[in-house]
């Protein structure tokens, strides 16, 4: 299963992948993006990634594909501000 999360360049994981074993992430140019995989010895391990490039990111887990747009906070200050407000609200809920 794929759970989408924040989508800011270099800030935090753009998504969390449950059952991370067969997952892969690709940037807009098709280059692989490293996943940080939980070290748990179970098949239910999670993984996240920190995008290095703004633009579309493709998360592929088996036949499931999820697209996320990663924006650069410098180029979209209003989106960055709202994302921080949303993240704070969610953390305090």
């Amino acid at each position: 299963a794929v759970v989408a999360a924040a989508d800011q360049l270099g800030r935090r994981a753009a998504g969390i992948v449950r059952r991370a074993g067969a997952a892969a992430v690709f940037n807009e140019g098709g280059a692989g993006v490293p996943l940080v995989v939980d070290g748990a010895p179970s098949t239910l391990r999670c993984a996240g990634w920190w995008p290095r490039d703004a633009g579309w990111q493709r998360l592929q887990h088996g036949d499931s594909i999820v697209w996320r747009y990663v924006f650069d906070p410098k180029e979209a200050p209003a989106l960055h501000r709202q994302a921080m407000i949303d993240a704070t609200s969610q953390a305090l809920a």
Side-chain angles (χ1 to χ4, degrees):
V2 175
V3 179
D7 51 1
Q8 296 178 45
L9 180 61
R11 281 279 170 135
R12 63 182 78 178
I16 304 298
V17 181
R18 293 194 178 108
R19 294 187 179 102
V25 180
F26 304 92
N27 67 15
E28 194 168 41
V33 178
L35 286 171
V36 178
V37 180
D38 178 15
S42 157
T43 59
L44 299 176
R45 295 178 305 165
C46 294
W49 79 95
W50 282 256
R52 296 177 179 168
D53 303 303
W56 288 102
Q57 307 283 313
R58 176 174 49 102
L59 170 61
Q60 189 160 349
H61 187 258
D63 292 335
S64 177
I65 296 175
V66 174
W67 289 92
R68 295 288 296 174
Y69 186 80
V70 176
F71 67 91
D72 185 338
K74 294 176 188 171
E75 295 178 11
L79 287 175
H80 173 68
R81 181 176 177 270
Q82 188 61 50
M84 293 295 96
I85 291 168
D86 294 345
T88 301
S89 297
Q90 185 177 16
L92 295 175

